[in-house]
Amino acid sequence: MAKIIALANQKGGVGKTTTTMNLAASLATLEKSVLVIDADPQANASSGLGVNIQEVDCSLYECIIDHADVRDAIYTTDIDGLDIIPSHIDLVGAEIEMLNLENRERVLKNLLEPLRKEYDYILIDCAPSLGLITVNALTAADSVIIPVQCEYFALEGISKLLNTIRIIKSKLNPKLEIEGFLLTMYDSRLRLANQIYDEVKRHFQELVFKTVIQRNVKLSEAPSHGLPAILYDADSAGAKNHLALAKEIISRS
């Protein structure tokens, strides 16, 4: 049975998509079967894993709104054992179209249920918002990874996200747990980065992953080639960090 992990933070630019792609690739490299759900209308995880968005006939949008067969939306990637259900810009309007659906918070959960037996991990890349699609992702998930950027406003907005998680836990998904807070874009030379690290550690203690994702040029370059860092440059800090994160997650399961 797959463990479903959502990657969420309503703050943009904290490394959600980068983490989703590279964690998924690392888990697949460690011989786990992985499915990525791109639940962000920007579809960056889709293009970053080599899917040509222009050529996608069936995306998450068609599954949610047109009741397309979820298996028709699964695309393979260049990494063995790593599949993806891509996103589409139409997903922006899906939240409004979903308002009339009954059980609208559980649409994604119902879609993913039949796929649970086929994968070890299902990772959901959430949009930088706390809208209905993100609520769907958190309702479908077993746990949530919260990427936190090592920058000044890092902790701003986290209380809002934690509140949303609390509401979803009480009303929609009592099993939802916090997998961990992941520090991203870490530069050990900066005093501020170290202060943020200490502050997050003090606040959330054992909920903070031991692995930290360092700021890394190769990690930024890889998506423009449609590749995760492990295929673009396996020796880069970014690739090694995500491999360490994957091992940390596997060891908890």
Side-chain angles (χ1 to χ4, degrees):
M1 282 288 272
K3 180 171 195 177
I4 301 180
I5 304 175
L7 287 94
N9 189 333
Q10 77 274 28
K11 195 172 182 306
V14 297
K16 275 188 302 294
T17 301
T18 302
T19 303
T20 305
M21 286 165 37
N22 288 290
L23 173 57
S26 299
L27 287 165
T29 304
L30 296 167
E31 301 187 335
K32 300 292 179 188
S33 56
V34 188
L35 176 66
V36 169
I37 311 295
D38 191 349
D40 183 347
Q42 294 175 70
N44 291 338
S46 306
S47 55
L49 286 172
V51 175
N52 184 341
I53 310 298
Q54 266 63 53
E55 291 175 6
V56 168
D57 296 321
C58 187
S59 69
L60 185 61
Y61 174 83
E62 281 77 20
C63 296
I64 290 174
I65 302 302
D66 303 334
H67 310 294
D69 184 339
V70 70
R71 284 185 175 79
D72 291 341
I74 297 174
Y75 289 73
T76 55
T77 69
D78 290 340
I79 292 187
D80 275 353
L82 174 54
D83 295 340
I84 181 165
I85 293 181
S87 180
H88 193 276
I89 191 67
D90 289 350
L91 206 57
V92 169
E95 303 213 337
I96 295 159
E97 295 177 68
M98 287 167 78
L99 289 176
N100 300 322
L101 299 179
E102 61 179 294
N103 255 347
R104 58 178 184 241
E105 297 88 358
R106 292 191 170 87
V107 176
L108 190 55
K109 182 183 174 66
N110 297 335
L111 270 180
L112 297 182
E113 213 46 53
L115 301 176
R116 275 187 104 124
K117 296 189 288 290
E118 295 167 31
Y119 293 93
D120 296 315
Y121 291 93
I122 296 176
L123 304 185
I124 310 173
D125 183 28
C126 297
S129 77
L130 292 177
L132 189 51
I133 303 268
T134 300
V135 168
N136 262 268
L138 294 171
T139 304
D142 299 308
S143 64
V144 54
I145 291 175
I146 302 170
V148 180
Q149 192 181 3
C150 289
E151 293 201 349
Y152 183 63
F153 292 116
L155 294 174
E156 208 175 72
I158 282 186
S159 58
K160 206 170 176 184
L161 176 62
L162 293 177
N163 197 36
T164 302
I165 291 170
R166 213 170 291 125
I167 293 165
I168 286 169
K169 209 172 151 74
S170 68
K171 302 252 195 318
L172 295 163
N173 182 5
K175 294 204 294 281
L176 183 64
E177 297 296 334
I178 291 175
E179 187 74 31
F181 290 85
L182 175 70
L183 286 144
T184 62
M185 305 181 202
Y186 176 73
D187 185 342
S188 57
R189 297 165 305 180
L190 299 178
R191 196 165 73 207
L192 178 65
N194 291 304
Q195 284 170 346
I196 302 284
Y197 178 81
D198 293 340
E199 199 175 335
V200 172
K201 202 87 176 114
R202 197 176 67 245
H203 267 285
F204 303 112
Q205 295 161 352
E206 71 283 354
L207 281 177
V208 182
F209 283 106
K210 291 187 183 74
T211 306
V212 171
I213 309 299
Q214 290 160 286
R215 197 175 273 286
N216 179 242
V217 176
K218 297 283 191 232
L219 203 53
S220 313
E221 287 175 359
S224 64
H225 298 269
L227 295 170
I230 205 156
L231 284 189
Y232 181 63
D233 183 353
D235 287 329
S236 65
K240 287 175 178 167
N241 291 163
H242 285 97
L243 206 51
L245 176 64
K247 286 174 181 166
E248 195 174 338
I249 286 169
I250 291 169
S251 71
R252 295 173 170 195
S253 301

